[in-house]
Amino acid sequence: MIILHGISEDSKYLSPLAEFVSSNRLANVYTPDLRGYGENPIRRGDVDYIGQIEDDLADLIVWIKSHNPGVNRIIMAGHSAGGGTVMARRFQNSFKV
């Protein structure tokens, strides 16, 4: 499971949810800091091109699958803008990696 944070936050506030899901063995949970977010981003809130965050997510999915060979599907969720990113990508089918 990948859970994306909203536009004005990093992923820290998602930790209680991620820990609950993980500790109850419902899913392995990843809460990435999107590009430009986190404690020490190189360029806060900045991307080089439109679609870069989606490309980063596609790369994360490839990484998760390569490190977890039994994974055949990934659940994605998000809060606020993170939810919008998940929905937009789902409807555009760009996460078929």
Side-chain angles (χ1 to χ4, degrees), residues 11-75:
S11 64
K12 285 182 198 171
Y13 75 99
L14 298 170
S15 293
L17 174 60
E19 289 173 21
F20 175 83
V21 171
S22 184
S23 67
N24 284 287
R25 298 180 184 197
L26 301 171
N28 292 328
V29 182
Y30 299 87
T31 56
D33 281 324
L34 299 176
R35 183 178 295 269
Y37 292 88
E39 289 186 27
N40 298 304
I42 294 171
R43 294 184 339 223
R44 186 160 300 281
D46 201 12
V47 295
D48 293 323
Y49 58 91
I50 300 213
Q52 189 170 25
I53 288 175
E54 291 81 1
D55 289 349
D56 291 344
L57 291 172
D59 291 343
L60 176 60
I61 290 169
V62 169
W63 184 90
I64 290 170
K65 288 183 173 183
S66 72
H67 286 79
N68 301 278
V71 170
N72 56 11
R73 81 178 173 165
I74 295 175
I75 297 166

